Amino acid sequence: MAARPSGPNGFPVQLAALGKDYGHFTALKALDLSVHPGVSLGFLGPNGAGKSTTIKIMTNLIRPTRGQATLFDIDVRRDPIRALSRVGAVIETPEFYGYLSPLETLAYAGRLRGMARKDIRARSEEVLKEVRMGEWAGRRIQEFSKGMKQRLAIAQALLHEPDLLILDEPTSGLDPRGMAEIRDLIKSLTGRGRTVFMSSHLLGEVQEVCDEVALLNHGELLVQGSVRDLSRGSGASTFQATFLAPPSEEDLSTLASTPGVQALKRVGDGAVDFTITGGEAAQAEVLEAMVRRGMRVTSYRPLGSPLEQLYLDRIQESDRI
Amino acid sequence: MIKDEISQVLTVAAYEVRKYLRSRRLIGMVVILGLIIGLILGLPPALGSKYPSQPNNFVGTFAGFTGILVILCGTLFAADALVSEHEKRTGYFLFPNPVRRDVLVLGKLLASLFTSAAVLTLYYLVATIAALAATGAASWEIGLSYAYALAYTGAVVGIAYVLSSVLRSTVAATVLTFFLFLLIFNIIGALLFVGKVDPWFIPTSASGIISNVLAPPSEGPPGPFRQFVPDAATSLLVFAAYFVAGSILSILMFRRRELSS
């Protein structure tokens, strides 16, 4: 489905030299980042990378020290009301008013957003069903678990059918089934033309849900691109080969000289880990070299995804600097 | 735009009042009210003494407790209104909505004033009905005392909101609001009085007008425990100043405060 209309520059999210200091500590240096309409961007990084700080600036919870965050061409700092009117957000695991029910909570959010009562009722039932909270609609939130509150948080973010969803660790606190359901839900939203800006430290989740990835560490953007391109273009991949019989030292030294093999390491008796550069062609070359030497390969598989490798490499590199 | 914001203020206020109702604070307050009224009405017959024969003197006994009731209202219905959004993390739900922080403060302020006024109205209503039953009359001074009590509530709520906008914990805001009015202001007032400075600008001193309008105190010997009470106009100005300054300050502080915990 076509992406929903955004501002004249075409970016639902645009961050320009965005920075935030807490005293002498710089949480965010000068982040430049844009998200195109209809794209789901995974905002990746280790704890303390600056992901939540960025999201809090985008949702007007904190002020930037420098730079600008615009949503649909509207500066969040200057006009937060208009900037946030097309946005639904889940930030950390929010707490709700324990004395209200999910229906009442959604009615509160809907009324603050100026929705008509009839629409609030209809949409509330719809979104609660979507996050599988329908049967809890009338119960007081004070009885809810963290996972249930997370589902409600997602429901309130979807209530007004926002064009942009800003999600901070959306599957946090959910059990594996809940995580899968929320991932499916996010995927269906991007399928409906919505833009998603999702922070996560779960690579698999981002790979499954997002079209693009932005990698952040120490408050700096390390890389941004499509999941497909970054997966392909990652430098080295680690593969593990297992053999019917343990390879000899001669086998290993021959394999070490195969083009693309950067390093290899014996793991137990019948397995070897290879660090291979040069993409899929080099990976195939290594396998062929093993077969040519008459080594009886029982399995040959990547350890971790290419994106994971890229993530680890870039984070390590950034940590060294 | 303004119409939308008025609607948002009313929405916030309605949900705040719902909070006071469902968290049983309002019920707790009504129970306290019942106990005070029960003691005022029950003790004289139990001790074999008569009720005052004049309506002003009769309601004056009630008015003697109005100050503490107003402080309790400020403590229960205002002190944690702003700080709890940060401490209990409900701000993560509320603040990303397209609503100005000023609107949130005004809505909460309205709810605090409305709930406190409802409690005082009930109290004065019972007092007036009891006065009619016991003395066969009521007086316009009762209405005046009620009006002063409402004005004092504004001052207490205004200061409670300032504390709520700057402090980091609900317990600190609640305890400080309570003891500020129960003890600290009274001590400051007494010390100023001893130092021959009239503490007309201390809200608890000004609150003496609530009782004085019904039964002016007889002149006693001067000393630290004699309370200075400014005249009605000064008292009202003091209440208004604390309410306005408190409201503006709390809006400014709440607007600046970041949700970063």
Side-chain angles (χ1 to χ4, degrees), chain A residues 5-9 11-13 70-74 83 86-87 163-164 195:
Chain A
S6 57
N9 71 14
F11 297 116
V13 177
T70 55
L71 306 177
F72 303 104
D73 289 328
I74 302 160
R86 293 167 68 185
V87 175
D163 295 324
L164 169 65
T195 308

Side-chain angles (χ1 to χ4, degrees), chain A residues 140-171:
Chain A
R140 295 265 172 101
I141 297 169
Q142 61 202 15
E143 304 164 15
F144 288 7
S145 68
K146 191 182 173 196
M148 292 162 83
K149 286 178 188 168
Q150 189 70 6
R151 286 168 188 268
L152 178 58
I154 293 166
Q156 64 81 28
L158 298 174
L159 180 73
H160 54 291
E161 301 190 83
D163 295 324
L164 169 65
L165 265 172
I166 298 175
L167 307 171
D168 188 10
E169 309 278 359
T171 56

Side-chain angles (χ1 to χ4, degrees), chain A residues 19 26 29 39 85 97 110 119 136 174 188 191 197 219 289 301 309:
Chain A
T26 300
K29 285 179 183 164
V39 164
S85 62
Y97 304 105
D119 294 342
W136 297 87
L174 297 174
S188 78
F197 187 99
R301 61 187 178 87
Q309 197 62 51

Side-chain angles (χ1 to χ4, degrees), chain B residues 36 41 50 70 84 93 111 132 144 192 198-199 214 229 239 244-245:
Chain B
I36 293 173
L41 296 179
K50 286 182 178 174
V70 172
S84 66
F93 155 69
L132 279 169
L144 215 50
L192 286 169
D198 287 343
L214 291 163
V229 180
F239 295 149
V244 172

Side-chain angles (χ1 to χ4, degrees), chain B residues 66-88:
Chain B
T66 304
I68 186 73
L69 274 182
V70 172
I71 295 169
L72 282 172
C73 283
T75 306
L76 291 174
F77 306 133
D80 75 337
L82 303 179
V83 65
S84 66
E85 297 292 349
H86 288 261
E87 195 192 40
K88 295 182 178 166

